PDB file of all heavy atoms in Angstrom:
ATOM      1  N   ASN J 272     135.895  23.619  78.858  1.00  0.00           N
ATOM      2  CA  ASN J 272     136.682  24.195  79.958  1.00  0.00           C
ATOM      3  C   ASN J 272     136.761  25.715  79.779  1.00  0.00           C
ATOM      4  O   ASN J 272     137.828  26.308  79.660  1.00  0.00           O
ATOM      5  CB  ASN J 272     138.084  23.583  79.990  1.00  0.00           C
ATOM      6  CG  ASN J 272     138.833  23.938  81.269  1.00  0.00           C
ATOM      7  OD1 ASN J 272     138.252  24.314  82.277  1.00  0.00           O
ATOM      8  ND2 ASN J 272     140.159  23.839  81.209  1.00  0.00           N
ATOM      9  N   TYR J 273     135.609  26.339  79.838  1.00  0.00           N
ATOM     10  CA  TYR J 273     135.425  27.722  79.402  1.00  0.00           C
ATOM     11  C   TYR J 273     136.101  28.739  80.317  1.00  0.00           C
ATOM     12  O   TYR J 273     136.000  28.681  81.532  1.00  0.00           O
ATOM     13  CB  TYR J 273     133.931  28.016  79.334  1.00  0.00           C
ATOM     14  CG  TYR J 273     133.568  29.372  78.791  1.00  0.00           C
ATOM     15  CD1 TYR J 273     133.960  29.771  77.521  1.00  0.00           C
ATOM     16  CD2 TYR J 273     132.794  30.253  79.552  1.00  0.00           C
ATOM     17  CE1 TYR J 273     133.597  31.000  77.009  1.00  0.00           C
ATOM     18  CE2 TYR J 273     132.425  31.493  79.061  1.00  0.00           C
ATOM     19  CZ  TYR J 273     132.836  31.858  77.785  1.00  0.00           C
ATOM     20  OH  TYR J 273     132.471  33.093  77.287  1.00  0.00           O
ATOM     21  N   VAL J 274     136.786  29.713  79.691  1.00  0.00           N
ATOM     22  CA  VAL J 274     137.383  30.866  80.362  1.00  0.00           C
ATOM     23  C   VAL J 274     136.642  32.105  79.875  1.00  0.00           C
ATOM     24  O   VAL J 274     136.570  32.361  78.665  1.00  0.00           O
ATOM     25  CB  VAL J 274     138.890  30.980  80.055  1.00  0.00           C
ATOM     26  CG1 VAL J 274     139.457  32.278  80.630  1.00  0.00           C
ATOM     27  CG2 VAL J 274     139.642  29.776  80.597  1.00  0.00           C
ATOM     28  N   TYR J 275     136.100  32.881  80.809  1.00  0.00           N
ATOM     29  CA  TYR J 275     135.280  34.031  80.435  1.00  0.00           C
ATOM     30  C   TYR J 275     136.144  35.272  80.241  1.00  0.00           C
ATOM     31  O   TYR J 275     136.959  35.613  81.098  1.00  0.00           O
ATOM     32  CB  TYR J 275     134.236  34.303  81.519  1.00  0.00           C
ATOM     33  CG  TYR J 275     133.312  35.457  81.211  1.00  0.00           C
ATOM     34  CD1 TYR J 275     132.269  35.305  80.316  1.00  0.00           C
ATOM     35  CD2 TYR J 275     133.497  36.691  81.829  1.00  0.00           C
ATOM     36  CE1 TYR J 275     131.407  36.360  80.038  1.00  0.00           C
ATOM     37  CE2 TYR J 275     132.648  37.753  81.564  1.00  0.00           C
ATOM     38  CZ  TYR J 275     131.610  37.580  80.666  1.00  0.00           C
ATOM     39  OH  TYR J 275     130.768  38.627  80.390  1.00  0.00           O
ATOM     40  N   MET J 276     135.954  35.938  79.110  1.00  0.00           N
ATOM     41  CA  MET J 276     136.619  37.201  78.825  1.00  0.00           C
ATOM     42  C   MET J 276     135.550  38.288  78.716  1.00  0.00           C
ATOM     43  O   MET J 276     134.625  38.190  77.911  1.00  0.00           O
ATOM     44  CB  MET J 276     137.423  37.096  77.524  1.00  0.00           C
ATOM     45  CG  MET J 276     137.971  38.421  77.010  1.00  0.00           C
ATOM     46  SD  MET J 276     139.052  39.251  78.202  1.00  0.00           S
ATOM     47  CE  MET J 276     138.778  40.962  77.725  1.00  0.00           C
ATOM     48  N   ASP J 277     135.651  39.320  79.549  1.00  0.00           N
ATOM     49  CA  ASP J 277     134.684  40.412  79.563  1.00  0.00           C
ATOM     50  C   ASP J 277     135.019  41.413  78.458  1.00  0.00           C
ATOM     51  O   ASP J 277     135.958  42.193  78.570  1.00  0.00           O
ATOM     52  CB  ASP J 277     134.706  41.110  80.928  1.00  0.00           C
ATOM     53  CG  ASP J 277     133.647  42.200  81.038  1.00  0.00           C
ATOM     54  OD1 ASP J 277     132.980  42.495  80.027  1.00  0.00           O
ATOM     55  OD2 ASP J 277     133.483  42.746  82.143  1.00  0.00           O
ATOM     56  N   TRP J 278     134.210  41.386  77.397  1.00  0.00           N
ATOM     57  CA  TRP J 278     134.431  42.282  76.259  1.00  0.00           C
ATOM     58  C   TRP J 278     133.550  43.524  76.311  1.00  0.00           C
ATOM     59  O   TRP J 278     133.403  44.220  75.308  1.00  0.00           O
ATOM     60  CB  TRP J 278     134.201  41.530  74.949  1.00  0.00           C
ATOM     61  CG  TRP J 278     135.219  40.470  74.665  1.00  0.00           C
ATOM     62  CD1 TRP J 278     135.077  39.128  74.805  1.00  0.00           C
ATOM     63  CD2 TRP J 278     136.554  40.677  74.205  1.00  0.00           C
ATOM     64  NE1 TRP J 278     136.234  38.471  74.460  1.00  0.00           N
ATOM     65  CE2 TRP J 278     137.165  39.402  74.079  1.00  0.00           C
ATOM     66  CE3 TRP J 278     137.303  41.801  73.876  1.00  0.00           C
ATOM     67  CZ2 TRP J 278     138.469  39.235  73.644  1.00  0.00           C
ATOM     68  CZ3 TRP J 278     138.609  41.636  73.442  1.00  0.00           C
ATOM     69  CH2 TRP J 278     139.171  40.360  73.331  1.00  0.00           C
ATOM     70  N   GLY J 279     132.944  43.816  77.431  1.00  0.00           N
ATOM     71  CA  GLY J 279     132.154  45.030  77.543  1.00  0.00           C
ATOM     72  C   GLY J 279     130.665  44.771  77.653  1.00  0.00           C
ATOM     73  O   GLY J 279     130.192  43.634  77.530  1.00  0.00           O
ATOM     74  N   PRO J 280     129.873  45.840  77.903  1.00  0.00           N
ATOM     75  CA  PRO J 280     128.440  45.685  78.192  1.00  0.00           C
ATOM     76  C   PRO J 280     127.646  44.977  77.102  1.00  0.00           C
ATOM     77  O   PRO J 280     126.782  44.156  77.408  1.00  0.00           O
ATOM     78  CB  PRO J 280     127.969  47.137  78.367  1.00  0.00           C
ATOM     79  CG  PRO J 280     129.198  47.896  78.754  1.00  0.00           C
ATOM     80  CD  PRO J 280     130.323  47.238  78.042  1.00  0.00           C
ATOM     81  N   ASP J 281     127.906  45.296  75.831  1.00  0.00           N
ATOM     82  CA  ASP J 281     127.147  44.658  74.752  1.00  0.00           C
ATOM     83  C   ASP J 281     127.408  43.160  74.712  1.00  0.00           C
ATOM     84  O   ASP J 281     126.483  42.354  74.557  1.00  0.00           O
ATOM     85  CB  ASP J 281     127.506  45.280  73.399  1.00  0.00           C
ATOM     86  CG  ASP J 281     126.938  46.680  73.235  1.00  0.00           C
ATOM     87  OD1 ASP J 281     126.025  47.032  74.017  1.00  0.00           O
ATOM     88  OD2 ASP J 281     127.403  47.414  72.353  1.00  0.00           O
ATOM     89  N   PHE J 282     128.672  42.791  74.864  1.00  0.00           N
ATOM     90  CA  PHE J 282     129.011  41.370  74.875  1.00  0.00           C
ATOM     91  C   PHE J 282     128.364  40.673  76.064  1.00  0.00           C
ATOM     92  O   PHE J 282     127.805  39.578  75.927  1.00  0.00           O
ATOM     93  CB  PHE J 282     130.529  41.188  74.923  1.00  0.00           C
ATOM     94  CG  PHE J 282     130.963  39.766  75.118  1.00  0.00           C
ATOM     95  CD1 PHE J 282     130.931  38.852  74.075  1.00  0.00           C
ATOM     96  CD2 PHE J 282     131.387  39.324  76.371  1.00  0.00           C
ATOM     97  CE1 PHE J 282     131.321  37.537  74.263  1.00  0.00           C
ATOM     98  CE2 PHE J 282     131.773  38.009  76.566  1.00  0.00           C
ATOM     99  CZ  PHE J 282     131.741  37.114  75.508  1.00  0.00           C
ATOM    100  N   VAL J 283     128.428  41.290  77.230  1.00  0.00           N
ATOM    101  CA  VAL J 283     127.836  40.689  78.429  1.00  0.00           C
ATOM    102  C   VAL J 283     126.348  40.435  78.223  1.00  0.00           C
ATOM    103  O   VAL J 283     125.820  39.359  78.570  1.00  0.00           O
ATOM    104  CB  VAL J 283     128.067  41.605  79.656  1.00  0.00           C
ATOM    105  CG1 VAL J 283     127.289  41.087  80.861  1.00  0.00           C
ATOM    106  CG2 VAL J 283     129.552  41.691  79.989  1.00  0.00           C
TER     107      VAL J 283
END
Side-chain angles (χ1 to χ4, degrees):
N272 191 20
Y273 185 59
V274 173
Y275 181 77
M276 170 58 209
D277 184 354
W278 292 103
D281 288 344
F282 172 77
V283 172

